[in-house]
């Protein structure tokens, strides 16, 4: 699954870079999403793959904090990039005549940089919350990576304030991109409903199908991890939800964005043909 994820996302990046026809804002954001997915899965899975044959379950304190920080950074980047892709579709459908002016290359690069710095801030805030913990009562995490919610449960002292801050910060950083996605699709649906023919409505909305599937997969699995850590007390269920979020989602994204996209499939075939 890890190799499929890395290969699939790498092929999308190489196809977008090699094909001049794909040098558009939508595919620019898609290639950055693939890059973020590669970093997201590489934060947790290689350590787990290494631990399976060696039967080792040990990670250092510094390694745990580093893994948690990078994991939140790329997870937040995924979230932000999905909102940028929704904004791109909103401008393309609702303001088609001004699309090239609004979504110019400089502005697209600026949006990605802002997303990165917001994700970095989210990561460091969670890191700061965990660093406030002075000791742990039982240094054993019932998962295959350092989840901040599980680290808070292991603290010796009262973690109510830290937990409230962590969930508040997580809600803020997740609510902003989700609100942007919701607003964009609200405007898109309003615009599509004004199209007179059903064929025109379908053709217009079909450009959003892959992105909507990716959004549902990301937020669905993310919500499953959140609910399992907050409600369920079963380590097995927590681990299953985490695998769906950290492994399955990045693996399926290349298939979601390429199987129904003729431009991506054509670019991948052309790139593979030239390489071979």
């Amino acid at each position: 699954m890890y190799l499929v994820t890395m290969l699939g996302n790498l092929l999308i990046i190489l196809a977008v870079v090699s094909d001049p026809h794909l040098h558009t804002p939508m595919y620019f954001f898609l290639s950055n999403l693939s890059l973020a997915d590669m970093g997201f899965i590489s934060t947790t899975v290689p350590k787990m793959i290494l631990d399976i044959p060696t039967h080792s379950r040990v990670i250092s304190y510094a390694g745990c904090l580093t893994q948690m920080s990078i994991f939140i950074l790329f997870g937040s980047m995924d979230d932000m990039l999905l909102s940028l892709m929704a904004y791109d579709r909103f401008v393309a459908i609702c303001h088609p005549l001004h699309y090239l002016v609004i979504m110019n290359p400089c502005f697209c690069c600026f949006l990605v940089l802002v997303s990165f710095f917001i994700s970095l801030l989210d990561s460091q805030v969670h890191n700061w919350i965990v660093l406030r913990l002075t000791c742990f009562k039982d240094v054993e995490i019932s998962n295959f990576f350092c989840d901040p919610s599980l680290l808070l449960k292991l603290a010796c002292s009262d973690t109510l304030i830290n937990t409230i801050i962590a969930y508040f910060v997580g809600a803020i950083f997740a609510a902003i991109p989700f609100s942007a996605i919701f607003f964009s699709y609200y405007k898109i649906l309003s615009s599509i409903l004004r199209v007179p023919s059903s064929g025109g409505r379908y053709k217009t909305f079909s450009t959003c199908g892959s992105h909507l599937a990716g959004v549902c997969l990301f937020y669905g699995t993310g919500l499953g991890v959140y609910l399992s850590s907050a409600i369920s007390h079963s380590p097995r269920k927590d681990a299953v939800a985490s695998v769906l979020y950290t492994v399955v989602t990045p693996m399926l994204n290349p298939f979601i964005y390429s199987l129904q996209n003729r431009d991506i499939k054509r670019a991948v075939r052309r790139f593979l043909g030239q390489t071979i």
Side-chain angles (χ1 to χ4, degrees):
M1 292 173 74
Y2 179 68
L3 290 175
V4 167
T5 303
M6 297 299 287
L7 181 61
N9 283 291
L10 185 62
L11 276 176
I12 287 180
I13 294 172
L14 293 174
V16 171
V17 171
S18 64
D19 193 338
H21 296 95
L22 299 184
H23 293 175
T24 62
M26 180 176 70
Y27 294 111
F28 173 69
F29 293 138
L30 177 58
S31 59
N32 278 277
L33 180 68
S34 295
L35 189 63
D37 279 337
M38 291 170 69
F40 186 59
I41 193 172
S42 296
T43 309
T44 57
V45 175
K47 177 71 170 70
M48 178 176 62
I49 294 173
L50 183 65
D51 291 345
I52 290 172
T54 60
H55 302 286
S56 171
R57 299 182 180 183
V58 177
I59 187 170
S60 66
Y61 179 68
C64 184
L65 291 180
T66 304
Q67 186 188 62
M68 182 193 71
S69 299
I70 300 176
F71 171 77
I72 295 175
L73 171 65
F74 284 115
S76 185
M77 271 297 291
D78 267 4
D79 202 3
M80 297 298 297
L81 287 167
L82 286 172
S83 67
L84 293 184
M85 292 171 75
Y87 177 71
D88 173 74
R89 292 298 84 204
F90 157 70
V91 176
I93 293 174
C94 300
H95 304 283
L97 298 179
H98 300 93
Y99 178 72
L100 294 177
V101 177
I102 297 173
M103 302 302 292
N104 60 79
C106 291
F107 184 60
C108 292
C109 292
F110 172 75
L111 289 176
V112 172
L113 282 175
V114 169
S115 300
F116 174 78
F117 285 116
I118 291 175
S119 303
L120 185 63
L121 178 62
D122 184 18
S123 168
Q124 294 310 304
V125 168
H126 280 87
N127 204 17
W128 171 76
I129 292 170
V130 175
L131 283 172
R132 284 167 49 90
L133 306 176
T134 55
C135 65
F136 298 96
K137 57 189 176 184
D138 184 11
V139 189
E140 184 177 328
I141 302 169
S142 58
N143 213 325
F144 60 92
F145 67 98
C146 292
D147 187 353
S149 61
L150 294 176
L151 289 174
L152 288 174
K153 293 178 181 179
L154 302 179
C156 301
S157 57
D158 184 23
T159 60
L160 179 61
I161 296 177
N162 288 332
T163 303
I164 292 173
I165 294 173
Y167 279 107
F168 178 76
V169 169
I172 290 295
F173 281 101
I176 293 174
F178 183 78
S179 301
I181 293 172
F182 182 82
F183 176 78
S184 298
Y185 275 104
Y186 168 74
K187 289 293 186 181
I188 288 171
L189 285 173
S190 300
S191 178
I192 288 175
L193 291 176
R194 291 196 292 268
V195 176
S197 66
S198 58
R201 286 196 294 267
Y202 174 77
K203 185 177 180 180
T204 306
F205 193 71
S206 63
T207 61
C208 305
S210 299
H211 179 256
L212 265 179
V215 168
C216 294
L217 180 64
F218 180 82
Y219 279 100
T221 54
L223 186 63
V225 172
Y226 172 79
L227 292 177
S228 64
S229 62
I231 299 173
S232 173
H233 298 287
S234 170
R236 186 177 182 84
K237 291 181 180 179
D238 291 348
V240 170
S242 298
V243 167
L244 290 175
Y245 181 61
T246 60
V247 182
V248 177
T249 300
M251 184 188 70
L252 291 181
N253 273 342
F255 297 99
I256 291 173
Y257 288 105
S258 63
L259 288 179
Q260 294 183 343
N261 192 312
R262 294 178 183 176
D263 294 333
I264 287 287
K265 287 192 289 188
R266 185 165 54 246
V268 169
R269 283 197 296 267
R270 186 182 298 115
F271 173 77
L272 291 176
Q274 291 173 352
T275 304
I276 295 170

